[in-house]
Amino acid sequence: MGQIDLKPMKTAIVGCGAISDIFFQNFTKRFEMIDLQYCCSKGGASAAQKAQQYGIKKSTLEEILADSEIELIINATPTSQHYDIIKAALDVGKHVFTEKVITTDFKKAQELRDLAHKKGLYLCSEPDHFMGAAWQCAREYIDAGIIGKVSSVIATASQNQDGLMDFLRYANEPGGGPGFDYGIYLITQMVALFGPVKEVCGTMQTTNPHHVHRRISRPELGHSYEAMNEDLVSATLVFHSGVIATVHLDANSIIEAPAPFMIYGKYGVLEMPRPSEFSGEVKLHRQDSHEPSLLQPVHGFDHDSRGVGAAEMAWAIRMGRTPRAEASLGIHCLEICQGILASGRTRSFYQMTTTCEQPAPLPKGYRGFPMFYHDEEASLIFLE
């Protein structure tokens, strides 16, 4: 085997909002493949604070794009800003890992993917939670046939969208509704576990468009406003593998309600944690047992490992292979969301036009090995 360049990838974060802290923590303290150099934000104030807090440099987007040493951009901005930032980064020859959906516009997401391919670059997207310990544990049991042939999946979640929109402004921007902002977690986990989807049907509606600002600290307190996004999603996904999944999201409810994710096999049922978590209890229900068995994961990333997709992306680029969170996965999941919308309008099944490779499972056995050899999963992490 020829010489492999395994030097960390010089990286910059664009967007320094609340969710960015976990990226900063993981990129500066845990994921060795990422060499975080700069950060920037729209106004600059939050970038200055994060730069000081995490010992990196504050910059502007223009300066980051002009720096030839920066290979990878982490896009942690709201979805409404994704297209322009991703395109600008690809145009100057930088790989991009982006938060949530690439864009809410299916054709624009494909355009960005095609631009990346044309330039020999990689575009990857969240959610990367399918690489977490709980979900890799489920993948192992499913692939090994422990629960038999899987026939169906049910995933549900509830949110208080009224409260979210008052607290987080992006929740009432394009892509901020439960379908694209949270449903993408459920859908990505399903595709990672069972492969691509063949057809979808369902509805995505705004059932409660009228709201009033009730947060005391907001200057708009007491003013009414209109919801820009969906608040109710109900859908059926038919996979090429034969699995049928039900997705139900209700944003007119309470935010702390349980979020069950159940996988039904011929010989057992897996009860999973929230799809937006990397870890959590994985329970196996079997016919001959009164109580479920708690499964012990044998994979790493059993904590908040947001950004592992970017670390795995950097490793894959250095190794000359396709990253697990490559754009085709994100675009296929985005089309599923768009297909639910289209199905609701036409009152018919939507036939998928894209497909993707099911991401390969991560290696087993990672428990924090020192970096004495080139183990794929261990090489993403370094010990403090």
Side-chain angles (χ1 to χ4, degrees):
M1 186 171 68
Q3 187 71 25
I4 299 175
D5 176 12
L6 289 176
K7 69 176 183 292
M9 187 165 288
K10 291 187 182 297
T11 301
I13 291 182
V14 179
C16 298
I19 196 61
S20 68
D21 270 307
I22 191 61
F23 282 125
F24 284 106
Q25 293 167 21
N26 286 341
F27 292 151
T28 57
K29 294 185 179 296
R30 293 177 53 207
F31 295 135
E32 187 172 52
M33 286 305 297
I34 300 295
D35 179 8
L36 189 60
Q37 297 278 309
Y38 301 109
C39 66
C40 74
S41 62
K42 191 172 183 180
S46 58
Q49 187 265 322
K50 301 298 182 189
Q52 182 179 22
Q53 182 178 354
Y54 295 101
I56 58 174
K57 301 171 186 175
K58 174 203 169 188
S59 189
T60 66
L61 178 60
E62 292 72 23
E63 290 169 340
I64 289 170
L65 295 176
D67 189 334
S68 60
E69 292 194 350
I70 297 297
E71 298 176 76
L72 173 62
I73 298 290
I74 307 294
N75 180 25
T77 63
T79 306
S80 58
Q81 301 175 31
H82 281 190
Y83 176 82
D84 290 339
I85 291 171
I86 295 171
K87 186 175 187 305
L90 294 174
D91 279 338
V92 296
K94 301 188 188 302
H95 306 291
V96 180
F97 180 88
T98 189
E99 254 268 284
K100 300 290 177 64
V101 295
I102 297 171
T103 75
T104 56
D105 187 309
F106 178 54
K107 289 185 178 179
K108 285 188 175 181
Q110 289 181 305
E111 174 195 328
L112 293 172
R113 186 267 319 274
D114 293 345
L115 177 61
H117 286 179
K118 179 180 178 180
K119 288 181 166 287
L121 300 167
Y122 280 105
L123 169 61
C124 295
S125 65
E126 271 206 325
D128 52 6
H129 296 64
F130 67 88
M131 299 185 202
W135 304 94
Q136 290 296 309
C137 176
R139 175 73 181 272
E140 180 185 11
Y141 269 69
I142 293 166
D143 288 356
I146 302 298
I147 65 170
K149 180 176 174 57
V150 174
S151 55
S152 65
V153 184
I154 293 178
T156 69
S158 61
Q159 292 180 322
N160 180 353
Q161 191 76 344
D162 190 65
L164 282 174
M165 290 189 296
D166 230 8
F167 183 72
L168 300 170
R169 293 181 185 274
Y170 84 85
N172 201 30
E173 296 177 356
F180 291 91
D181 187 61
Y182 191 80
I184 197 69
Y185 288 99
L186 283 67
I187 289 168
T188 303
Q189 296 288 18
M190 290 177 178
V191 173
L193 288 172
F194 307 112
V197 168
K198 179 171 64 174
E199 57 183 358
V200 304
C201 73
T203 184
M204 193 178 290
Q205 300 179 10
T206 305
T207 61
N208 182 26
H210 308 297
H211 297 264
V212 176
H213 288 295
R214 292 186 171 87
R215 193 177 180 201
I216 295 175
S217 61
R218 289 193 69 146
E220 306 96 332
L221 177 65
H223 292 188
S224 61
Y225 66 100
E226 298 296 305
M228 304 299 293
N229 294 312
E230 72 284 349
D231 57 22
L232 185 62
V233 180
S234 186
T236 298
L237 317 182
V238 181
F239 290 76
H240 284 280
S241 62
V243 173
I244 294 179
T246 299
V247 173
H248 179 78
L249 303 168
D250 192 332
N252 298 302
S253 187
I254 54 175
I255 199 166
E256 296 297 334
F261 191 112
M262 307 293 289
I263 301 169
Y264 296 88
K266 184 174 179 62
Y267 304 123
V269 176
L270 292 181
E271 180 181 350
M272 302 299 298
R274 291 175 182 269
S276 57
E277 302 291 339
F278 286 86
S279 59
E281 292 185 345
V282 179
K283 298 177 182 179
L284 172 61
H285 298 261
R286 305 201 69 154
Q287 188 173 4
D288 56 355
S289 177
H290 293 293
E291 296 292 333
S293 303
L294 190 61
L295 303 184
Q296 176 62 45
V298 293
H299 297 83
F301 314 120
D302 54 356
H303 39 254
D304 192 342
S305 297
R306 193 180 290 264
V308 65
E312 195 272 345
M313 174 187 186
W315 174 264
I317 292 170
R318 293 288 190 246
M319 296 297 289
R321 65 161 175 78
T322 302
R324 287 175 170 85
E326 194 268 334
S328 61
L329 172 63
I331 287 174
H332 185 67
C333 294
L334 171 61
E335 189 187 9
I336 293 170
C337 293
Q338 297 281 11
I340 297 170
L341 268 172
S343 173
R345 294 183 185 128
T346 63
R347 297 295 191 266
S348 63
F349 270 91
Y350 173 87
Q351 304 300 314
M352 294 288 291
T353 64
T354 64
T355 188
C356 66
E357 293 291 329
Q358 184 182 13
L362 284 171
K364 293 187 293 184
Y366 172 72
R367 277 293 179 269
F369 301 136
M371 291 189 48
F372 294 137
Y373 53 87
H374 296 159
D375 175 86
E376 179 183 31
E377 190 170 286
S379 294
L380 298 178
I381 299 253
F382 68 87
L383 303 177
E384 296 186 54

